[in-house]
Amino acid sequence: MPQELNYLKETPSQTAGPYVHIGLAPGAAGFDIYDRELGWDIAGPNAKGERIRIEGLVTDGTRSPVKDVLIEAWQANADGIYAHPEHAGNIEDGFRGWGRAITDFETGKWGFDTIKPGPVVGHTGTVMAPHINLWIVARGINIGLNTRLYFSDEEDANAADPVINLIEWEKRRQTLIAQRIEQDGQIIYRFDICLQGDDETVFFDI
Amino acid sequence: MTPNGEFYQRDREWQPPAYAPDYKTSVTRSPRYPLISLQNSVSEVTGPVFGHNDIGPTDNDLLSNYAKPGESPIGERIILHGRVLDENARPIPNTLVEIWQANAGGRYRHKKDSYLAPIDPNFGGCGRTLTDENGYYHFRTVKPGAYPWRNWVNNWRPAHVHVSVFGTAFAQRLITQCYFEGDPLIDKCPIVKTIPDPNAIERLIAPLDLNASIPFDSLTYKFDIVLRGRRSTLFENRLEGN
């Protein structure tokens, strides 16, 4: 036997199960326990940029809505800077860049309010189009699914995006594009996530 | 460009696959197309930062965080403790650990749980804490009970605590379940067995830690959590963040 490398192995994932809300969004589960629930303040009142709402539905392989999903979002600010010590740049007070949304138990609809992120410099110095990183967990999902939400009104930037262009199947690229709608003066991006099937959303191994 | 290196690729043969037909719900909730593999960019190597302002000082004490004054939940009092490390065996300090669980009878405080075992009026079932500078965390709680679920007609989940951990990067985000040493239901559970490697399953079983138990108060179980490790940028960049 050769020498051992002595790395530890990552803890195996398990499904978040049907009651994920108890732990991560207890108010939604029907009881108040914390003074402050985390994840409802992606972009505080001081955040720069266009105020937007993200809305959607998660569907399964039968096109039925999945009503027990929890989605986390991670995004840069309007200047394309993440609120993290490894990313140099100014972050306005109260911009967190991270949020959590759960689906309505009756309809499966989910949504969150934030600001539209700016473009971010990517792996090899190329510029990534504005995007929000999403992580999806639920009963039946054994390991969290990573995807990205891009914006329909960023056509040129999307066409040059190094991650979108990694997807060889061009028809699948559109599954990552949220559609801009203006409704009663509010900017809404509609982003439906399909877990399985021909029009399945692209998921990443990051 | 990032000064620190990328994360080691996730070992998808060690992790459970998306499609695991004995866990029936996974059949229609698993992608059919392969995942697209990304080299890490700043979008993946950064992640949310939490501080002590975000959580309450007793949020890690499930024996008291929902109990009426002077009362406490019914069940086996335990301490669940351990460290959060990366694959290089380095501690991950100041990271958020969140847990949730059923009560001693296997009933969740959730409006969708209709199991006939009763709610405990003094038990909420969720807690959260930040690891200290050595990556250490602890919770006080009651040992959860097993409960039945609709998969096969007579499936019972082993006693378990759900655990959510952040690390320092969105690429490290992980949710798992902690099981308890000696539970005969572990080997029979289709959710546990979504994990193909028996050595990986053992990593989810918390041993009894008698040395850390408090006489006449609580038994203790130890549950260490390992998140993805990071490469040193030996040749491309400055050496940092191994």
Side-chain angles (χ1 to χ4, degrees):
Chain A
M1 287 284 280
Q3 296 180 13
E4 289 186 17
L5 284 167
N6 289 327
Y7 292 109
L8 302 179
K9 293 295 286 182
E10 186 188 20
T11 296
S13 172
Q14 291 270 267
T15 178
Y19 307 126
V20 58
H21 324 91
I22 287 187
L24 306 187
F31 72 109
D32 291 321
I33 185 164
Y34 296 138
D35 292 338
R36 180 172 170 184
E37 228 169 77
L38 294 172
W40 305 100
D41 52 347
I42 305 183
N46 300 324
K48 297 176 280 190
E50 184 180 33
R51 293 274 153 189
I52 62 171
R53 179 163 178 81
I54 310 285
E55 285 181 353
L57 202 60
V58 180
T59 55
D60 67 13
T62 72
R63 297 295 168 275
S64 304
V66 180
K67 299 176 181 174
D68 49 14
V69 177
L70 181 128
I71 298 179
E72 288 188 6
W74 175 238
Q75 66 165 87
N77 74 0
D79 297 330
I81 305 297
Y82 284 99
H84 187 272
E86 278 187 40
H87 206 196
N90 289 328
I91 291 290
E92 52 276 39
D93 279 345
F95 179 83
R96 170 155 246 170
W98 172 79
R100 221 172 228 177
I102 63 158
T103 44
D104 182 277
F105 295 145
E106 306 304 320
T107 63
K109 285 183 183 159
W110 58 274
F112 55 88
D113 296 304
T114 184
I115 56 100
K116 192 173 169 192
V120 174
V121 177
H123 175 70
T124 53
T126 49
V127 176
M128 297 189 282
H131 64 279
I132 298 178
N133 308 285
L134 299 176
W135 187 70
I136 300 149
V137 294
R139 177 171 67 107
I141 296 177
N142 292 322
I143 184 163
L145 293 167
N146 288 97
T147 189
R148 285 185 174 199
L149 178 158
Y150 289 85
F151 299 89
S152 62
D153 54 330
E154 296 283 347
E155 276 183 41
D156 293 346
N158 292 342
D161 182 83
V163 169
I164 290 178
N165 283 300
L166 272 180
I167 305 164
E168 199 178 331
W169 309 284
E170 289 181 24
K171 287 197 169 176
R172 300 199 64 212
R173 295 176 186 172
Q174 67 191 20
T175 67
L176 302 183
I177 314 291
Q179 297 302 318
R180 183 181 174 107
I181 306 160
E182 293 187 28
Q183 200 173 299
D184 305 329
Q186 194 180 23
I187 308 299
I188 297 170
Y189 286 91
R190 173 86 190 188
F191 191 67
D192 291 326
I193 297 169
C194 177
L195 297 178
Q196 185 187 90
D198 290 343
D199 51 353
E200 178 177 306
T201 300
V202 170
F203 297 105
F204 296 106
D205 187 17
I206 66 172
Chain B
M1 300 293 283
T2 58
N4 293 329
E6 299 172 9
F7 286 86
Y8 303 142
Q9 80 173 7
R10 183 166 259 158
D11 185 347
R12 294 278 174 178
E13 294 176 323
W14 172 263
Q15 291 291 349
Y19 174 71
D22 285 343
Y23 175 28
K24 294 181 182 179
T25 318
S26 79
V27 172
T28 57
R29 295 185 174 192
S30 45
R32 285 288 175 268
Y33 290 106
L35 303 177
I36 306 287
S37 295
L38 290 189
Q39 282 180 280
N40 289 170
S41 72
V42 70
S43 291
E44 289 79 33
V45 303
T46 58
V49 176
F50 299 96
H52 288 282
N53 291 336
D54 288 319
I55 60 178
T58 60
D59 284 357
N60 68 337
D61 186 359
L62 284 68
L63 294 182
S64 68
N65 71 3
Y66 201 73
K68 297 181 191 73
E71 298 186 18
S72 64
I74 288 178
E76 189 177 332
R77 295 163 59 89
I78 63 167
I79 292 166
L80 183 66
H81 76 156
R83 295 175 77 200
V84 180
L85 307 165
D86 71 12
E87 289 170 290
N88 301 313
R90 298 190 182 219
I92 304 182
N94 305 314
T95 197
L96 183 65
V97 181
E98 296 164 290
I99 66 168
W100 68 100
Q101 63 168 92
N103 68 22
R107 174 74 183 267
Y108 283 95
R109 186 176 283 278
H110 191 293
K111 50 188 165 192
K112 303 294 252 188
D113 188 357
S114 56
Y115 179 36
L116 52 79
I119 288 282
D120 183 332
N122 290 307
F123 190 68
C126 66
R128 54 193 186 179
T129 191
L130 293 174
T131 57
D132 71 10
E133 65 276 14
N134 298 310
Y136 178 78
Y137 74 90
H138 77 279
F139 291 95
R140 288 206 314 168
T141 186
V142 296
K143 194 173 174 190
Y147 62 84
W149 58 300
R150 291 186 190 281
N151 190 62
W152 298 324
V153 77
N154 195 24
N155 269 138
W156 294 75
R157 293 302 324 281
H160 63 277
V161 175
H162 296 267
V163 183
S164 165
V165 201
F166 279 82
T168 58
F170 213 51
Q172 289 176 306
R173 192 77 181 85
L174 184 76
I175 281 181
T176 188
Q177 300 182 29
C178 163
Y179 304 101
F180 294 90
E181 179 181 9
D183 187 339
L185 288 168
I186 294 172
D187 290 341
K188 302 189 184 306
C189 177
I191 289 179
V192 173
K193 291 198 288 190
T194 60
I195 299 170
D197 186 334
N199 295 312
I201 290 174
E202 287 179 6
R203 299 275 73 77
L204 298 185
I205 303 174
L208 175 68
D209 186 353
L210 203 53
N211 287 352
S213 298
I214 303 173
F216 306 104
D217 185 320
S218 302
L219 281 174
T220 297
Y221 286 86
K222 178 167 117 17
F223 189 65
D224 285 341
I225 299 158
V226 179
L227 302 181
R228 292 167 69 186
R230 252 175 127 168
R231 199 160 65 83
S232 304
T233 50
L234 284 168
F235 302 107
E236 304 97 307
N237 214 319
R238 63 199 165 99
L239 178 61
E240 192 181 306
N242 187 17

